[in-house]
Amino acid sequence: MTFQGHPAEAVPRPTRGRPTAARAHLFHPGTVDRYRQLLATTVDRVAHRVADVDRPFSGVTPARLAPEVDRVDLDRPLTDPAAALDELESVYLRDAVWFHHPRYLAHLNCPVVIPALLGEAVLSAVNSSLDTWDQSAGGTLIERRLIDWTADRIGLGPTADGVFTSGGTQSNLQAMLLAREGAVTAMARPREELLPRLRILTSVAGHFSVQKSAKLLGLARDAVVTVDTDPDRRIRTAALAHEIARCRQDGLIVMAVVATAGTTDFGTIDPLPAIADLCRAAGVWLHVDAAYGCGLLVSPTRRHLLAGIERADSVTVDYHKSFFQPVSSSALLVRDRAVLRHATYHADYLNPERTAERIPNQVDKSLQTTRRFDALKLWLTLRIMGPDAIGALFDEVLDLAADAWRLLTADPRFEVVTRSQLSTLVFRYLPAEHHLADDANLYAREALAASGAALVAGTKVDGAHYLKFTLLNPETTVDDIVHVLDLVAAHASRYVRTKTAAEASVPPTEVAAQPCRVG
Ligand SMILES: Cc1ncc(COP(=O)(O)O)c(C=O)c1O
């Protein structure tokens, strides 16, 4: 028996029977040399692969890659790790999408910082689970410090709290759960009577996870009311005020307003102070979805763009978008820690009520039970680089986006929707034959991806197809942008030329049915 505070004596461990081959794969004191050697060679492989990547994507299609993955017989192990890693080349690494490549300009994925990769290596080897203190110890305290640090950066005040989540979608879901419970509790009426009357107001440019949350939370099909935006794609506060009043008149209950601090497509930030005023006057929960814009919290030059966020009841931050962290790394912050009780469930085996006061169990605040120690990545990032360095990286991509916007607006080949406050650019190639614009841009995007030379995203604006850059890589240069724009224009104009030639020589009804064979 060992007593608290006394080191256990080294007692030889009994071996039950002969060790099986499987035991050699278990990570334990007897296999640390194998672990050391295998990880070192694997890191070396990844380093070589990354050093050799000359384009963000190979252009592989699902039809070409799926048979390779299907061919793998999962019931017949290769046993040799080197052979399994060789195989991984052809089923994954060779055709992976490389977010660190400077011409990956598509979605909200960032290249990652090396200190965070150190965290990743430590956290998966130690494999703490952040649900309870007795599965994490210091991990729980580290996560709590980072939550307090983030809440301080936001300015949420002394009663703030929060929890790490798997991503912005889960953070938004949990925020809506807390808002729903707040509204239902405040009304003191039967839940089944209230649920169909609850409404969430957000802008048309808000993230779709708000709609998904409403569905998961059992709200009415039309529970999310989308409010108009101004030409900059920021919510119109007058329209928001009007919707709040209209809901009231119709006997509906506005359970939350979701403001977006960095819309996914346009990178614009809703007018947070004015929205906070409206929410306060109406007694409505304000959630700020800063999944994208949270990097501004550490920006040495642009923190002011988030002014008003400190008045939110809850905030979503995605460190895996603008803090250069590997997926997953996100958090939900709340102004009043008491509201997290709506996520608490006491399970006798895990977090008995008796110990709730004394033992810090993060499961009491989370939608998840077993949960990765993702906070460690941010911890090591802050301890090695510091917040200003992360903010400076984010600033670099915001500066780049401003340069790219200037380029695009001066380029007669393209039309730009709006100027981002962050780092997106929504634009399209605009041919003289306007009726071909949609197809030309769709074609250019696909052709670019098939070549693998660059990856850009697409979206729809007012029913028309546009292309989108999301710039999150400080290694991307203006020359990269110029090059990719030229590629887009070349693909799109080739499409237009082929199509107009076909239209000139074939009766219109037949043109519509013909596939375009260019590129
Ligand atoms: C504004 C915003 N909120 C929420 C999300 C969802 O975040 P996640 O993909 O981490 O679930 C995104 C994703 O792009 C987003 O842009």
Side-chain angles (χ1 to χ4, degrees):
M1 189 181 213
T2 57
F3 297 95
Q4 201 181 8
H6 293 264
E9 272 177 39
V11 179
R13 299 178 59 79
T15 47
R16 273 184 284 116
R18 279 153 51 88
T20 61
R23 290 275 188 99
H25 294 287
L26 269 184
F27 182 43
H28 61 81
T31 53
V32 287
D33 285 341
R34 180 181 168 84
Y35 161 76
R36 197 175 277 130
Q37 182 253 320
L38 273 179
L39 260 84
T41 54
T42 307
V43 166
D44 200 43
R45 271 179 190 253
V46 175
H48 273 107
R49 179 40 87 180
V50 168
D52 286 350
V53 162
D54 67 347
R55 52 191 55 219
F57 185 43
S58 68
V60 75
T61 60
R64 247 175 48 217
L65 192 54
E68 299 225 35
V69 178
D70 290 347
R71 241 192 322 273
V72 172
D73 185 347
L74 292 174
D75 294 316
R76 291 169 66 98
L78 296 164
T79 67
D80 176 14
L85 289 168
D86 286 345
E87 180 185 81
L88 199 65
E89 284 287 326
S90 58
V91 294
Y92 175 53
L93 289 173
R94 186 190 61 204
D95 298 302
V97 177
W98 299 101
F99 300 157
H100 71 270
H101 193 280
R103 290 184 187 164
Y104 177 84
L105 309 175
H107 301 288
L108 266 166
N109 307 113
C110 53
V112 296
V113 291
I114 296 171
L117 294 179
L118 299 185
E120 193 72 65
V122 175
L123 77 92
S124 56
V126 180
N127 199 28
S128 298
S129 177
L130 276 261
D131 39 348
T132 54
W133 166 260
D134 71 356
Q135 299 174 79
S136 60
T140 285
L141 302 181
I142 285 175
E143 172 166 314
R144 287 182 161 220
R145 276 295 304 278
L146 288 167
I147 288 292
D148 290 347
W149 177 84
T150 309
D152 272 358
R153 286 261 162 183
I154 297 172
L156 283 178
T159 58
D161 199 356
V163 70
F164 270 64
T165 69
S166 62
T169 302
Q170 190 188 117
S171 297
N172 285 346
L173 171 63
Q174 181 162 356
M176 291 305 98
L177 167 78
L178 303 181
R180 183 195 72 180
E181 291 309 292
V184 168
T185 320
M187 299 295 286
R189 304 285 294 263
R191 179 174 287 265
E192 54 285 6
E193 183 195 307
L194 294 173
L195 284 190
R197 292 168 53 205
L198 296 178
R199 293 293 179 271
I200 301 168
L201 307 189
T202 191
S203 99
V204 284
H207 193 256
F208 74 89
S209 54
V210 176
Q211 268 83 355
K212 214 173 186 178
S213 301
K215 190 171 176 186
L216 288 167
L217 292 170
L219 308 187
R221 287 168 79 95
D222 53 353
V224 179
V225 179
T226 50
V227 181
D228 272 354
T229 51
D230 62 19
D232 289 334
R233 310 280 158 175
R234 291 148 40 99
I235 208 165
R236 283 185 198 275
T237 41
L240 180 63
H242 174 79
E243 284 302 336
I244 293 175
R246 190 190 60 78
C247 286
R248 292 256 158 97
Q249 269 163 21
D250 293 352
L252 302 169
I253 305 155
V254 180
M255 66 168 233
V257 167
V258 178
T260 314
T263 53
T264 317
D265 276 348
F266 305 106
T268 45
I269 298 168
D270 284 334
L272 302 178
I275 296 174
D277 286 346
L278 284 177
C279 287
R280 179 169 302 163
V284 168
W285 183 290
L286 170 59
H287 175 64
V288 176
D289 178 355
Y292 178 13
C294 62
L296 295 174
L297 293 172
V298 285
S299 161
T301 61
R302 293 175 172 88
R303 171 62 181 83
H304 61 277
L305 292 176
L306 288 179
I309 194 172
E310 70 284 353
R311 295 171 63 189
D313 294 290
S314 55
V315 178
T316 287
V317 295
D318 263 9
Y319 309 105
H320 64 211
K321 288 186 176 37
S322 47
F323 274 68
F324 303 93
Q325 297 295 293
V327 178
S328 293
S329 186
S330 176
L332 172 70
L333 290 307
V334 293
R335 157 178 307 287
D336 174 9
R337 66 171 70 96
V339 299
L340 290 169
R341 72 184 182 284
H342 296 305
T344 308
Y345 190 94
H346 290 288
D348 289 339
Y349 84 94
L350 202 60
N351 55 340
E353 270 164 311
R354 199 169 55 82
T355 60
E357 294 300 307
R358 287 183 295 116
I359 311 285
N361 288 326
Q362 293 293 85
V363 72
D364 291 338
K365 307 171 187 175
S366 174
L367 300 186
Q368 293 172 256
T369 306
T370 303
R371 195 161 51 84
R372 279 167 60 85
F373 182 20
D374 284 315
L376 182 60
K377 296 177 285 195
L378 181 59
W379 179 267
L380 284 179
T381 301
L382 293 180
R383 297 309 298 137
I384 295 169
M385 295 176 64
D388 288 355
I390 289 292
L393 288 179
F394 194 47
D395 268 3
E396 280 191 56
V397 295
L398 303 194
D399 289 341
L400 177 69
D403 289 344
W405 181 81
R406 275 189 285 275
L407 265 179
L408 265 165
T409 45
D411 190 330
R413 297 171 299 177
F414 297 102
E415 173 190 67
V416 200
V417 177
T418 187
R419 184 173 184 167
S420 170
Q421 289 168 284
L422 298 179
S423 63
T424 58
L425 283 138
V426 180
F427 64 97
R428 63 177 181 164
Y429 177 81
L430 196 58
E433 303 77 0
H434 280 203
H435 68 288
L436 292 178
D438 267 9
D439 286 344
N441 284 284
L442 283 171
Y443 176 81
R445 183 182 172 210
E446 278 173 21
L448 209 52
S451 74
L455 284 181
V456 306
T459 192
K460 268 183 149 181
V461 181
D462 305 329
H465 287 282
Y466 280 76
L467 301 175
K468 180 170 75 159
F469 289 164
T470 309
L471 306 179
L472 281 176
N473 190 347
E475 288 286 301
T476 303
T477 61
V478 170
D479 284 349
D480 288 311
I481 305 281
V482 169
H483 182 71
V484 176
L485 288 176
D486 285 345
L487 290 175
V488 167
H491 286 301
S493 63
R494 209 141 25 104
Y495 176 91
V496 171
R497 276 200 309 278
T498 311
K499 216 61 186 166
T500 44
E503 281 173 7
S505 59
V506 182
T509 47
E510 289 177 38
V511 171
Q514 283 192 356
C516 175
R517 289 194 195 86
V518 289

